[in-house]
Amino acid sequence: MIADFWVSLWSSIQLSILRDKGAEDLIRFKTLILRTHQRTHFLDGLDKLHIDRSLPPAVVAAQYHYLSNKIGGLNLQYIEESPKKVWIRYLPPVWSFPDLSLVAVPSSVQRAVFTGWHPFNGVSLGAPQLGFVVTKVVQEGEPYDEGYFFEYDHVLEPDERIQYLPSPVSPDFDPGSAPELDPVEWPAERLIKAKRNFARGYVEDGIRTAVQMYGEHAGSALIAHAARLCALVRFEKLRADLGVHGNTARDLVDIFSAISQLAGESLEALELGPGQFSVTRRNRLFMGQPVHLGAFSALFQYVVMAARMLSARVRVDLVSVGIEDGVVVENWTARDTCERLY
């Protein structure tokens, strides 16, 4: 549930950029994030996933994408046609754009997902002859995104590392031949935490990159708007999933206490009086990392919109946001009111 919460925020940030800034900005946004992830996660991830680097480069690269993305909750297929040619399919639903949001996303954006990461794996592996060929993209009428890693017989120039070559027919997937995680190294509890961290990492990088592209003021405004609309679309289902049906300040605090618990965070709520609460939340977002507090504070608009959806007689106020021992701590209040607020 908490991974879906982070994914919905990640999707909302992307769609806000697409709507307000256009497809080219969203391509740049996603490319910046994926290039950073490739540089920081790929080689380290091979070791965590116990992928043997002595295997052919195409096999190593494809196994990484298959296993790491499955941990994140994506639905994939892996087909090893030969040691030099290994296919990857990203099946629906599209992780970054759940539900009908995909309808608004052009194929150029989806191609950027491949451009930002896949063609750089060969260089990282010391195999400059390894490239990636995109064969199918869902926005172009295909049932899934697809491509293959291919080891050529020559060193590739930068513009040769990724190609777009439609393939009307591609090989079958055999689940029995796909790589698997070691169940001892990856028990259920670790998988749950890894899935949560996978999604949360995209929210962190989404906020950081929005600020990088637009500055703290404009980036924060974009994030605030994304958070409000995310709550508007998702909060009622989240509330129902948590089994909270009331519409008081206490119910609001209970909802975000449950969210914090699922996220591995700490939330303390002090009842100041009937229907009045002081809340302190110690976040896992940006834990131990540099953070723009203004942009982080923009996320509180999710809570503000949630309160407005809950009741016209529940008021929330962000009191302060600061950093204590590398942890972002937010203090806010929630209270019931006699009169309608809007």
Side-chain angles (χ1 to χ4, degrees):
M1 183 188 299
I2 191 61
D4 292 338
F5 175 77
W6 295 129
V7 171
S8 66
L9 276 172
W10 159 243
S11 178
S12 297
I13 293 170
Q14 294 179 90
L15 292 170
S16 295
I17 292 173
L18 178 63
R19 188 201 61 203
D20 291 349
K21 307 295 184 179
E24 289 302 317
D25 270 34
L26 183 54
I27 289 170
R28 181 181 168 219
F29 173 81
K30 291 179 74 73
T31 302
L32 284 170
I33 290 174
L34 292 169
R35 283 297 299 117
T36 298
H37 281 200
Q38 197 277 337
R39 285 190 294 263
T40 57
H41 297 333
F42 178 55
L43 293 180
D44 183 55
L46 294 177
D47 298 330
K48 290 181 179 178
L49 297 169
H50 296 284
I51 296 174
D52 185 356
R53 296 196 196 187
S54 67
L55 292 170
V59 174
V60 172
Q63 287 194 2
Y64 173 85
H65 286 278
Y66 179 76
L67 292 174
S68 63
N69 282 290
K70 282 188 74 69
I71 288 173
L74 283 72
N75 188 15
L76 293 91
Q77 294 179 347
Y78 170 101
I79 306 102
E80 194 171 319
E81 184 174 336
S82 74
K84 289 191 174 186
K85 186 178 182 181
V86 186
W87 296 73
I88 287 288
R89 286 194 191 112
Y90 296 84
L91 304 179
V94 176
W95 186 81
S96 283
F97 301 110
D99 303 327
L100 288 174
S101 64
L102 178 66
V103 175
V105 182
S107 61
S108 58
V109 172
Q110 201 68 8
R111 288 186 178 199
V113 174
F114 294 112
T115 304
W117 187 317
H118 294 62
F120 298 96
N121 288 341
V123 176
S124 297
L125 290 170
Q129 69 277 21
L130 181 67
F132 189 78
V133 178
V134 180
T135 58
K136 291 181 174 68
V137 176
V138 292
Q139 287 94 334
E140 296 171 359
E142 301 294 354
Y144 39 70
D145 293 328
E146 177 191 78
Y148 56 85
F149 288 97
F150 189 75
E151 184 179 356
Y152 294 84
D153 294 328
H154 62 279
V155 173
L156 301 178
E157 296 296 328
D159 62 353
E160 294 180 305
R161 293 173 187 162
I162 188 162
Q163 299 182 49
Y164 301 93
L165 297 174
S167 175
V169 179
S170 48
D172 286 327
F173 169 59
D174 175 12
S177 299
E180 295 182 353
L181 293 168
D182 183 338
V184 176
E185 291 288 336
W186 288 90
E189 183 178 358
R190 185 182 181 187
L191 287 171
I192 291 171
K193 289 182 178 179
K195 182 178 180 180
R196 179 186 69 193
N197 294 344
F198 183 96
R200 187 180 65 228
Y202 276 93
V203 174
E204 291 170 339
D205 286 329
I207 294 171
R208 188 181 294 115
T209 305
V211 171
Q212 176 185 344
M213 289 176 62
Y214 305 118
E216 185 161 1
H217 179 74
S220 297
L222 185 146
I223 293 162
H225 188 69
R228 283 191 291 267
L229 291 182
C230 183
L232 191 69
V233 174
R234 295 292 185 179
F235 177 68
E236 281 299 333
K237 183 178 186 307
L238 178 63
R239 175 189 179 194
D241 289 343
L242 292 172
V244 179
H245 304 291
N247 61 351
T248 67
R250 161 62 76 182
D251 296 308
L252 184 76
V253 171
D254 286 347
I255 290 167
F256 284 95
S257 178
I259 292 172
S260 293
Q261 184 176 3
L262 290 170
E265 300 173 341
S266 167
L267 185 146
E268 298 177 3
L270 175 64
E271 189 167 6
L272 304 176
Q276 300 180 49
F277 301 88
S278 174
V279 178
T280 299
R281 180 181 176 188
R282 299 177 64 84
N283 289 268
R284 292 192 67 86
L285 273 174
F286 295 105
M287 182 175 286
Q289 305 175 47
V291 57
H292 295 276
L293 291 180
F296 183 90
S297 299
L299 288 175
F300 189 72
Q301 290 302 311
Y302 188 104
V303 182
V304 173
M305 180 58 76
R308 296 187 70 185
M309 295 177 68
L310 194 70
S311 170
R313 291 181 170 85
V314 173
R315 173 168 179 162
V316 294
D317 292 287
L318 181 63
V319 176
S320 65
V321 176
I323 299 176
E324 298 178 9
D325 300 323
V327 176
V328 179
V329 180
E330 61 183 43
N331 295 287
W332 49 280
T333 59
R335 62 185 178 91
D336 296 319
T337 65
C338 294
E339 303 295 328
R340 285 181 64 93
L341 297 171
Y342 55 90

